Amino acid sequence: MTNRSAHLSAQPSASLVASLCHEMDQLRCRGAQVMADLGRCREERLLQRLKRELQQLQSRRQELQACASQLRRSVGLRDSLAVAFLEELTRRPLPC
């Protein structure tokens, strides 16, 4: 493997960044749904389950934020604008 090909294989693909952006969008949408459900729900067991799900969504957002930061530090990043967009999405709190 040449030096150039090793360098190219270490770069994140545009589809990876796009997939992470898409997942962050899905987290935000699901967070909004859970918050709406929490406002309507009166059953204690369901309330607890929804609160746990919201915590899981928050945890995943933090994981994605860490991934975005790690991608930013990657050497030879081709599309820094896409990573900057991902970082912006992950910095925004979920609708809570």
Side-chain angles (χ1 to χ4, degrees), residues 54-72:
L54 194 57
Q55 289 173 342
Q56 291 170 342
L57 293 172
Q58 292 285 9
S59 177
R60 183 61 183 152
R61 182 189 69 83
Q62 290 172 342
E63 290 172 1
L64 291 175
Q65 193 172 28
C67 288
S69 294
Q70 191 172 27
L71 287 172
R72 167 63 62 206

Side-chain angles (χ1 to χ4, degrees), residues 25-90:
D25 183 54
Q26 289 177 323
L27 286 176
R28 292 185 62 73
C29 289
R30 182 62 188 148
Q33 289 174 338
V34 169
M35 287 305 297
D37 291 344
L38 280 169
R40 291 188 297 266
C41 184
R42 300 293 172 244
E43 184 185 330
E44 188 59 34
R45 286 178 53 183
L46 181 55
L47 280 170
Q48 293 305 315
R49 194 186 86 195
L50 290 169
K51 288 177 184 176
R52 275 193 313 273
E53 183 178 355
L54 194 57
Q55 289 173 342
Q56 291 170 342
L57 293 172
Q58 292 285 9
S59 177
R60 183 61 183 152
R61 182 189 69 83
Q62 290 172 342
E63 290 172 1
L64 291 175
Q65 193 172 28
C67 288
S69 294
Q70 191 172 27
L71 287 172
R72 167 63 62 206
R73 292 187 300 269
S74 294
V75 177
L77 197 60
R78 284 187 200 158
D79 194 355
S80 61
L81 185 60
V83 174
F85 181 66
L86 175 61
E87 285 182 308
E88 174 61 30
L89 288 177
T90 60

Side-chain angles (χ1 to χ4, degrees), residues 8-36:
L8 290 175
S9 65
Q11 294 178 2
S13 69
S15 62
L16 169 65
V17 176
S19 293
L20 293 174
C21 287
H22 181 70
E23 182 178 353
M24 190 60 223
D25 183 54
Q26 289 177 323
L27 286 176
R28 292 185 62 73
C29 289
R30 182 62 188 148
Q33 289 174 338
V34 169
M35 287 305 297

